[in-house]
Amino acid sequence: MKKIFVIIAVLITLTSACSKDGTDLLDPATTGLTEGDVFGSPQYSERFLLDIYRQIIPVLAHTDFAGPRWRNLAHLETATDNGSTIVSGNVNVRDFNSGSWTPNSTGMFWYADWTNNNSAIRACNLFLSHIDKVPADPQYNFDDNTRKIRKAEAKFLLAFNFAELAKQFGGLPLLKKVVSPTDADIFIERSNYDETIAYITQLCDEAAADLPLVQPDAQLGRATKGAALALKARMLLYAASPLWNDSGSPTNTPAGGKFDAKKWETAARAAKDLIALNTYQLHPDIASLFITRTNSEIIFARMQEPMSYHSATHVPYTLYNGAGAYGVGGVNQVSYNMVKEYEVLKNGAAYFVDDPASGHNFQDPFKNRDPRFYRDCIFNGSKVFGKTAEFGNPEPGHNKSGAHNMGYLKETQNYNTFVYSVKFADQTLNVTWDARSAAAGTRVHQNYPYLRYAEVLLNYAEAMNEAFGPDVDALGIGKTALQAVNEVRTRAKYPTGRTEYLGQTGGMPPLTSGTKDQVRTKIHHERRVEMSYEEHRFWDVRRWKVLPSTMTDIKAQIPIYKKDGTLEYQIKTIDTRFFDTKMYRMPIPQSEVLANPKLVQNPGW
């Protein structure tokens, strides 16, 4: 009986379609529309496709700001050595970090992703099976050219959803048609990893062939040729990486592809194809990169109305002239593990904090850091809204008064690092209202980038270094691995006129060359800094097979206000996590394995 119920649940997943508000557009009881109605109308078929766009990566309640995969505002970064979260109700994050989860853990993000992405895959296949039958209608600008573009968009979305699953689980059941509960072949086995990547890249190629180079302003947020090529480059980089391209693996299985060192060159060529479009370039101002409607760096983003909710929930609330959202703020913290990755600038050179040549003062730790630190973080001493932020733990009997958040975020609450992630927030946006309300407040563009040009350059740098070494322009586009990574690094400069950058000037110097191994370490570091809190670290440490023992101790540099009024920084371990090699891959939900006798679970689960 239990298995029957599980099978019914799987069938519901396979036969559902997407809608932005959770209402199935094809549910006659709710909408009054049949499948014939939806695909007999350009208006409804367009809405159906837009609903699939809306399902990409779970979004934050009330805002449509993408990124958080956990409940209660926490980003995926809080399950890496980059971050922590103070939201006490976020049991799923705590369970994940402690290793208290199994293939039966329904609260885990990967459990929901398996269902949600497969539902989106079915919706894409359904759209593709009907789009040629949708009648042309000049009233809705729907002609044969529009049809061709929409079909290409659906192929891109199909590739995107398969890609989201492949980076978590590996080889997938490749559903290439609409599956009905009455079909004899409703249960299919997982394809091998290489076959899965080949299908994703095939879809990307087919989409790129018909997608426009740019979308008109009113269509921003739809897929473009660049989006398809960037997604292809990302997945080929993953496929070349040690987890999925293990030198000790002579065969192709769902858990990993057949080893082939040439996969690095294939990944580099894919990134080169995007670079060669000459359509994208790095946005010159790091301060405005994530708070403009669009810019030259954004390849594919989630577009939405201007908002203030994200800023209100990530900037510590007492820095506002009034309460932030829910009376909280600073919900995502940056660990000291990550803070120390932001280098120290001195006399035009960059040093890590533990290098004696840096002259770094651990009791005055936030001066002369990588300019991206001041965009990404609010810390003790930040200049925000004309105030100097003061965070920390007071010793009993201390005589320090008026310290912002001192009565709210105490070490006894645990997991608090006193450095707050605000990468996508606007630190000049002085929210004075309850951000749950849509009635008032100052707002800013916050369109979450799924794909941006900096990532492509870093993908290219990593693949080129592995394939050819750091200083060889083997593909003939005038760009070596070292040159590509330095484009990203040297873009990081202190903006003028922004108080949060503390009046500092200059920027990051270029990396020097070295051996392939030395430059690999530098590229990995640069990727960690540039792509922090963009859902890359979680997957990067897995595809690189970073040793679990290096990922478990989460540290904070805690400001302690002493009784005598002095301030002392103490580096402490605030969380000891569990990480096992089986966690390089996510487990397939056990309910799916029980229901489908052909579905093989991932190793170790």
Side-chain angles (χ1 to χ4, degrees):
M1 181 64 70
K2 180 179 179 181
K3 188 167 183 177
I4 290 172
F5 282 121
V6 170
I7 291 174
I8 290 172
V10 172
L11 292 178
I12 290 171
T13 298
L14 291 173
T15 56
S16 63
C18 301
S19 180
K20 64 183 178 182
D21 59 3
T23 301
D24 193 340
L25 189 63
L26 296 180
D27 181 3
T30 304
T31 65
L33 299 174
T34 65
E35 192 168 301
D37 293 330
V38 171
F39 295 108
S41 158
Q43 180 185 17
Y44 285 132
S45 63
E46 289 272 32
R47 176 182 159 186
F48 188 90
L49 183 63
L50 288 174
D51 284 352
I52 303 173
Y53 274 105
R54 298 279 292 177
Q55 290 299 309
I56 294 179
I57 302 182
V59 297
L60 183 59
H62 307 298
T63 71
D64 280 347
F65 187 80
R69 289 185 185 262
W70 309 105
R71 298 187 183 98
N72 297 324
L73 315 179
H75 285 251
L76 187 59
E77 212 88 350
T78 61
T80 76
D81 55 344
N82 280 4
S84 182
T85 179
I86 55 109
V87 180
S88 58
N90 213 320
V91 176
N92 293 326
V93 179
R94 305 283 179 250
D95 286 348
F96 187 93
N97 287 336
S98 67
S100 301
W101 49 286
T102 71
N104 289 310
S105 298
T106 58
M108 293 294 122
F109 71 88
W110 48 263
Y111 200 104
D113 286 352
W114 180 274
T115 299
N116 294 338
N117 288 115
N118 274 304
S119 293
I121 286 166
R122 184 184 188 278
C124 289
N125 283 328
L126 187 62
F127 183 87
L128 288 168
S129 72
H130 285 286
I131 183 62
D132 288 332
K133 304 169 190 174
V134 177
D137 190 334
Q139 179 182 353
Y140 293 106
N141 254 348
F142 193 87
D143 55 17
D144 286 342
N145 186 59
T146 303
R147 187 193 317 277
K148 181 179 72 172
I149 293 172
R150 298 295 180 259
K151 186 185 295 188
E153 289 178 46
K155 288 182 178 180
F156 168 79
L157 291 169
L158 188 59
F160 195 101
N161 281 281
F162 271 124
E164 282 297 300
L165 292 174
K167 70 185 186 183
Q168 300 186 46
F169 302 102
L172 303 169
L174 295 178
L175 295 168
K176 300 181 181 181
K177 64 176 185 178
V178 179
V179 178
S180 166
T182 59
D183 288 351
D185 58 349
I186 188 170
F187 297 125
I188 63 175
E189 63 185 4
R190 295 173 65 184
S191 293
N192 291 333
Y193 182 79
D194 286 341
E195 294 163 358
T196 299
I197 296 300
Y199 183 54
I200 292 170
T201 58
Q202 174 192 326
L203 289 169
C204 289
D205 286 338
E206 291 176 4
D210 291 329
L211 285 169
L213 198 58
V214 295
Q215 290 281 6
D217 188 75
Q219 303 291 336
L220 287 177
R222 289 184 183 271
T224 61
K225 182 186 293 289
L229 294 180
L231 178 62
K232 175 184 176 180
R234 174 190 287 178
M235 295 314 296
L236 287 173
L237 180 78
Y238 275 52
S241 300
L243 177 64
W244 307 112
N245 190 34
D246 192 327
S247 59
S249 176
T251 59
N252 182 21
T253 72
K258 182 179 179 179
F259 176 72
D260 183 355
K262 284 288 187 180
K263 288 180 179 179
W264 287 114
E265 181 179 344
T266 302
R269 290 186 181 278
K272 184 258 311 183
D273 289 343
L274 183 284
I275 294 168
L277 289 179
N278 291 320
T279 301
Y280 304 99
Q281 58 186 0
L282 295 174
H283 186 63
D285 176 23
I286 64 169
S288 62
L289 172 58
F290 300 111
I291 54 175
T292 57
R293 182 166 181 264
T294 189
N295 57 61
S296 60
E297 184 167 339
I298 303 302
I299 299 173
F300 182 55
R302 186 181 191 86
M303 304 298 293
Q304 56 239 338
E305 293 297 317
M307 69 170 76
S308 59
Y309 186 91
H310 183 79
S311 297
T313 53
H314 285 70
V315 175
Y317 84 99
T318 53
L319 292 175
Y320 291 120
N321 292 326
Y326 303 109
V328 299
V331 295
N332 288 283
Q333 279 78 47
V334 183
S335 67
Y336 178 69
N337 309 53
M338 179 63 208
V339 169
K340 65 185 179 64
E341 296 296 311
Y342 292 97
E343 294 162 82
V344 177
L345 294 178
K346 179 183 177 184
N347 298 328
Y351 305 89
F352 288 103
V353 295
D354 53 1
D355 185 338
S358 70
H360 180 63
N361 181 357
F362 283 87
Q363 294 306 318
D364 189 12
F366 302 127
K367 289 182 179 177
N368 304 316
R369 305 298 285 269
D370 182 326
R372 291 168 290 191
F373 173 73
Y374 304 94
R375 178 197 62 196
D376 298 349
C377 305
I378 285 181
F379 52 92
N380 191 44
S382 283
K383 303 294 184 181
V384 186
F385 312 139
K387 305 172 183 176
T388 299
E390 293 179 316
F391 309 121
N393 280 334
E395 278 190 344
H398 79 100
N399 62 3
K400 182 71 175 174
S401 62
H404 301 296
N405 268 0
M406 282 181 61
Y408 170 62
L409 299 177
K410 295 182 178 180
E411 187 182 2
T412 53
Q413 191 169 346
N414 298 325
Y415 311 113
N416 187 17
T417 70
F418 298 95
V419 177
Y420 305 95
S421 170
V422 292
K423 184 171 187 175
F424 303 103
D426 184 351
Q427 295 185 46
T428 68
L429 187 67
N430 197 355
V431 178
T432 59
W433 57 295
D434 184 342
R436 290 171 293 179
S437 168
T442 306
R443 303 183 182 192
V444 69
H445 289 289
Q446 291 177 313
N447 297 320
Y448 185 84
Y450 296 124
L451 295 161
R452 62 183 178 99
Y453 188 56
E455 181 201 341
V456 175
L457 288 172
L458 291 168
N459 292 348
Y460 176 85
E462 182 178 343
M464 284 289 287
N465 183 59
E466 298 297 340
F468 306 109
D471 300 306
V472 180
D473 177 24
L475 303 186
I477 63 169
K479 203 181 298 292
T480 66
L482 191 64
Q483 287 170 334
V485 69
N486 276 331
E487 282 187 49
V488 177
R489 179 177 170 88
T490 58
R491 184 265 301 268
K493 298 178 176 63
Y494 295 114
T496 58
R498 302 276 300 215
T499 59
E500 63 266 37
Y501 292 86
L502 307 182
Q504 299 169 133
T505 59
M508 296 303 291
L511 295 168
T512 57
S513 192
T515 65
K516 178 190 291 188
D517 290 347
Q518 290 169 337
V519 174
R520 178 189 302 123
T521 299
K522 295 177 181 183
I523 291 171
H524 286 191
H525 164 259
E526 191 62 30
R527 185 180 181 93
R528 183 177 185 181
V529 173
E530 177 66 28
M531 306 308 295
S532 68
Y533 271 86
E534 294 183 58
E535 293 213 347
H536 287 274
R537 180 67 176 170
F538 187 92
W539 308 114
D540 284 343
V541 297
R542 285 163 168 77
R543 66 182 180 88
W544 293 331
K545 297 176 73 172
V546 172
L547 290 176
S549 60
T550 66
M551 303 280 292
T552 55
D553 289 342
I554 306 303
K555 297 182 182 297
Q557 191 170 27
I558 299 175
I560 305 293
Y561 286 95
K562 311 289 283 185
K563 287 188 293 184
D564 61 4
T566 60
L567 173 64
E568 178 183 303
Y569 285 91
Q570 299 176 4
I571 298 172
K572 296 184 177 182
T573 297
I574 61 168
D575 195 9
T576 301
R577 298 176 180 172
F578 179 83
F579 192 12
D580 187 81
T581 55
K582 70 179 182 180
M583 295 163 67
Y584 287 147
R585 303 170 185 85
M586 299 299 102
I588 295 172
Q590 192 63 24
S591 59
E592 304 287 336
V593 176
L594 290 173
N596 182 355
K598 296 182 179 180
L599 206 57
V600 178
Q601 184 58 275
N602 271 329
W605 294 105

